[in-house]
Amino acid sequence: MKRVIVLTVSILYCFLVYSQEADNYDKSAVVSIITRLDCNPHIKPTLYSSFEGNISRNLSLYICNHWLSDAPAELYRNTLHSDNLNWVDFANITYHINRFYVKAGKDMIPATGLENDDNDYDAHSEMLSSFWNYSNSYQWGLSAGYTSQNEKTSLSIQISASPFGIHPFTSGLYCYSGEWRGSYGVFRTIWSANAMETQKGQFQYVVSLGQEVSIANFKLGIDYINKVGDEDNIISDGTSIFVRNSYVSDNKKFEAKLNIGMDKHAKLKPTFLCGIALHLFPFNNKSLRLHIVTGYNTKTKIIWHAIGAIYYFNLKVF
């Protein structure tokens, strides 16, 4: 797997050199620093950075790093691990040709439907499924995709390291994924099927179905996943169903989210949760987000609250 990735990156690099010499396409790149502070009641600081740019007409690069969390030592201790999160979320290069693309590097396994709409630094983990919270979807691998002429349908396939392996290049365990994304008027679809290798030749099959409808300023979505996760990062058979509702004001300065969901382990009682998040953007450029979150979880039997803020600093490099 490591050799395949190195070969693909080398090929993409050759395309980069060729593209730079072949045209004078305007390049663009943006560096972002994202800082977040939450109080629930403990102070939880978070720091991310990202680089996103078009290197040429056909090549794009995306890197996103998670530098600080409430348990920063874990981020760096898990470097080059595939069984847990670390400080590198994304690091990939993409070559586009007409309606097709090829991507190599670290990317996300498409296994959580609508939950993947928000970046980690924007999300409220208490309002999301156990699979989102306790599975490591950021893996090194290769993917290819196609977007239809009207840009309403996108299909992709991916091979990556399996989150059940310890190290991405030496465990010899892989994950095979396929995803369909559709946008048809007021309806949006994100469906995926994933085969995650747990041992050589043995797999966990993860199916994720996300469906959304938009009406005026409101969105109503539902996610289904046939697996659940736990605190030990173990993925098990079960059922996860979450209904997601959101509202955005006309001036884009206020949004509200309501999530109601159930995680049901095949052999345990179901866990129900409900969460509400209110977001306020005081500046027109949306560089600052203030948020208040509250909810209830039947597993912990605790009503939780949090207040916080996120600041987005964006710098256009070229």
Side-chain angles (χ1 to χ4, degrees):
M1 180 66 173
K2 183 177 181 181
R3 293 178 181 176
V4 174
I5 293 177
V6 171
L7 176 60
T8 304
V9 172
S10 300
I11 294 172
L12 292 178
Y13 178 75
C14 292
F15 279 126
L16 167 61
V17 174
Y18 171 78
S19 299
Q20 287 179 322
E21 296 178 351
D23 60 56
N24 295 316
Y25 178 71
D26 289 336
K27 304 175 183 65
S28 64
V30 176
V31 173
S32 300
I33 307 295
I34 304 99
T35 60
R36 175 169 174 168
L37 195 66
D38 287 276
C39 180
N40 65 340
H42 304 291
I43 302 296
K44 296 174 59 178
T46 305
L47 176 64
Y48 283 82
S49 70
S50 71
F51 174 91
E52 187 170 9
N54 296 315
I55 304 171
S56 72
R57 185 182 302 275
N58 301 103
L59 273 174
S60 60
L61 178 67
Y62 180 52
I63 300 172
C64 182
N65 299 110
H66 187 179
W67 300 108
L68 180 64
S69 71
D70 54 340
E74 291 293 320
L75 293 175
Y76 300 95
R77 187 180 300 121
N78 293 326
T79 299
L80 290 182
H81 274 239
S82 54
D83 58 347
N84 213 329
L85 297 174
N86 57 58
W87 60 279
V88 180
D89 284 353
F90 294 93
N92 55 66
I93 186 168
T94 306
Y95 180 73
H96 307 266
I97 179 168
N98 297 324
R99 294 292 171 181
F100 296 88
Y101 74 83
V102 179
K103 183 186 297 185
K106 196 170 189 182
D107 202 3
M108 179 172 283
I109 296 175
T112 51
L114 300 172
E115 285 188 316
N116 282 342
D117 279 353
D118 291 333
N119 293 304
D120 283 7
Y121 47 76
D122 290 320
H124 302 290
S125 59
E126 302 91 344
M127 296 173 54
L128 301 177
S129 70
S130 62
F131 188 90
W132 187 95
N133 276 283
Y134 300 120
S135 65
N136 180 21
S137 294
Y138 298 112
Q139 300 293 343
W140 294 91
L142 305 171
S143 62
Y146 165 79
T147 301
S148 64
Q149 183 71 30
N150 58 15
E151 298 186 347
K152 292 184 177 181
T153 300
S154 296
L155 303 172
S156 64
I157 55 175
Q158 181 188 75
I159 176 173
S160 67
S162 170
F164 289 93
I166 298 177
H167 299 289
F169 300 126
T170 59
S171 67
L173 303 179
Y174 303 105
C175 176
Y176 307 91
S177 305
E179 184 184 50
W180 164 40
R181 287 178 174 257
S183 182
Y184 311 108
V186 299
F187 297 101
R188 189 164 68 100
T189 298
I190 306 177
W191 289 13
S192 73
N194 309 267
M196 299 180 179
E197 202 166 16
T198 57
Q199 299 180 40
K200 204 64 178 176
Q202 299 182 19
F203 294 88
Q204 283 264 28
Y205 297 98
V206 182
V207 175
S208 172
L209 307 176
Q211 203 71 46
E212 183 183 79
V213 59
S214 301
I215 303 174
N217 294 20
F218 295 88
K219 291 182 179 179
L220 172 63
I222 184 168
D223 268 330
Y224 164 83
I225 308 174
N226 68 331
K227 302 291 179 181
V228 294
D230 64 23
E231 292 84 349
D232 296 320
N233 297 324
I234 296 175
I235 300 173
S236 305
D237 290 337
T239 301
S240 177
I241 299 176
F242 275 71
V243 177
R244 312 182 188 286
N245 309 272
S246 64
Y247 166 82
V248 179
S249 64
D250 288 333
N251 61 9
K252 310 297 183 184
K253 288 192 172 184
F254 171 79
E255 68 180 16
K257 296 188 176 187
L258 169 64
N259 287 3
I260 301 172
M262 177 199 74
D263 279 323
K264 172 66 173 71
H265 189 286
K267 299 180 180 179
L268 300 174
K269 292 182 178 180
T271 296
F272 297 93
L273 68 83
C274 176
I276 301 173
L278 304 179
H279 298 165
L280 179 65
F281 300 90
F283 304 133
N284 289 333
N285 64 359
K286 302 185 77 172
S287 60
L288 177 65
R289 187 191 84 180
L290 307 176
H291 54 261
I292 301 175
V293 190
T294 187
Y296 178 76
N297 186 312
T298 61
K299 183 177 181 179
T300 60
K301 294 182 172 56
I302 294 175
I303 298 176
W304 46 267
H305 312 278
I307 60 173
I310 303 179
Y311 185 77
Y312 310 86
F313 174 77
N314 300 314
L315 175 64
K316 187 174 181 180
V317 180
F318 53 80

